Amino acid sequence: MARPKSSQHELKRDEILDVAAQCFADRSYPAASMNDIAAACGTSKARLYHYYESKEAILFDLLDRYTQRLLAVIAQAEAAAQRRNLDDRDALHELVRGFLEEYEHSATRHVALLHDTKFLGVAQRDLIVNRQRDVVSAVTRFLRRAYPKRVTSVNQTPVTMMLFGMINWTFTWLRPGGAMSYAAFAEEVVAMLDQGLAS
């Protein structure tokens, strides 16, 4: 009979994922080893294997949880728009704010999503890539509703990628506690959208 998981099991997994994401960002996924992750966690490799059977299992759990979180950000923006009776443009602006609030606290996870998905096995990689596509599709819908005269079936992909280009790489230059906060940057993106896409 399998031993029941302790109530701290998921909390410990979260801590491991935080540390692993930092290791992957610092060293790169291929260069980071289970020994590196265990040492950074202040535990043994044997103890780490109690939670995860491999480095790839850690990466998959990290990306699985993170992509679910990004989909939750979209669902929260949609719910907030309905609850507050926002128009389509304000709903998009709330989504931008939601993404940047998430990115402020998950930079290393975002690095892993952008750089390390390719290291997963085929089935796991397909799942993560399909979730990424779901995120892109949802943002495209927000954009088309917000700017129906400007965002069309012809240009919707470039416009969506332009928006992601503005926000997805903030981990490379925007620092918490720096001259500009993530919240302030979100307002700059909102202003850029409104002034650049409004007819």
Side-chain angles (χ1 to χ4, degrees):
M1 179 190 236
R3 188 173 67 180
K5 292 180 180 176
S6 75
S7 61
Q8 296 298 310
H9 193 77
E10 284 305 308
L11 176 62
K12 185 65 176 175
R13 280 180 177 264
D14 286 342
E15 293 168 4
I16 291 168
L17 294 177
D18 284 341
V19 170
Q22 190 65 57
C23 285
F24 298 157
D26 291 344
R27 294 176 175 83
S28 84
Y29 175 79
S33 68
M34 289 293 273
N35 277 332
D36 293 329
I37 297 167
C41 287
T43 191
S44 67
K45 190 163 75 166
R47 183 77 176 144
L48 187 59
Y49 278 115
H50 172 72
Y51 292 95
Y52 289 102
E53 63 189 24
S54 66
K55 185 173 71 166
E56 186 177 307
I58 293 174
L59 178 63
F60 175 68
D61 195 21
L62 189 156
L63 297 180
D64 182 45
R65 292 177 188 222
Y66 185 56
T67 52
Q68 288 185 62
R69 178 67 196 134
L70 294 179
L71 291 171
V73 167
I74 293 165
Q76 289 165 359
E78 288 173 334
Q82 288 181 351
R83 187 176 62 252
R84 294 164 48 197
N85 199 28
L86 300 179
D87 66 25
D88 290 331
R89 200 168 289 181
D90 286 335
L92 172 65
H93 299 167
E94 280 303 296
L95 180 62
V96 168
R97 292 179 185 110
F99 273 131
L100 284 164
E101 183 179 350
E102 178 63 31
Y103 291 175
E104 180 176 8
H105 306 290
S106 56
T108 55
R109 282 170 166 74
H110 201 70
V111 171
L113 181 63
L114 294 174
H115 297 300
D116 301 330
T117 303
K118 63 189 173 193
F119 296 112
L120 294 173
V122 173
Q124 293 178 335
R125 183 171 62 244
D126 286 349
L127 186 150
I128 299 303
V129 168
N130 284 335
R131 286 215 191 111
Q132 287 178 290
R133 288 182 180 133
D134 290 343
V135 169
V136 171
S137 294
V139 172
T140 300
R141 287 192 304 274
F142 271 80
L143 277 163
R144 288 196 71 170
R145 289 193 301 251
Y147 303 103
K149 293 180 181 176
R150 180 66 179 86
V151 182
T152 67
S153 58
V154 174
N155 71 354
Q156 66 184 13
T157 299
V159 171
T160 302
M161 291 303 106
M162 181 179 66
L163 173 55
F164 278 119
M166 283 194 282
I167 66 174
N168 269 7
W169 298 91
T170 50
F171 69 87
T172 65
W173 63 271
L174 187 58
R175 299 285 178 259
M180 176 175 278
S181 68
Y182 273 76
F185 179 66
E187 297 313 312
E188 293 294 334
V189 174
V190 163
M192 184 78 72
L193 285 171
D194 231 18
Q195 293 169 22
L197 294 178
S199 55

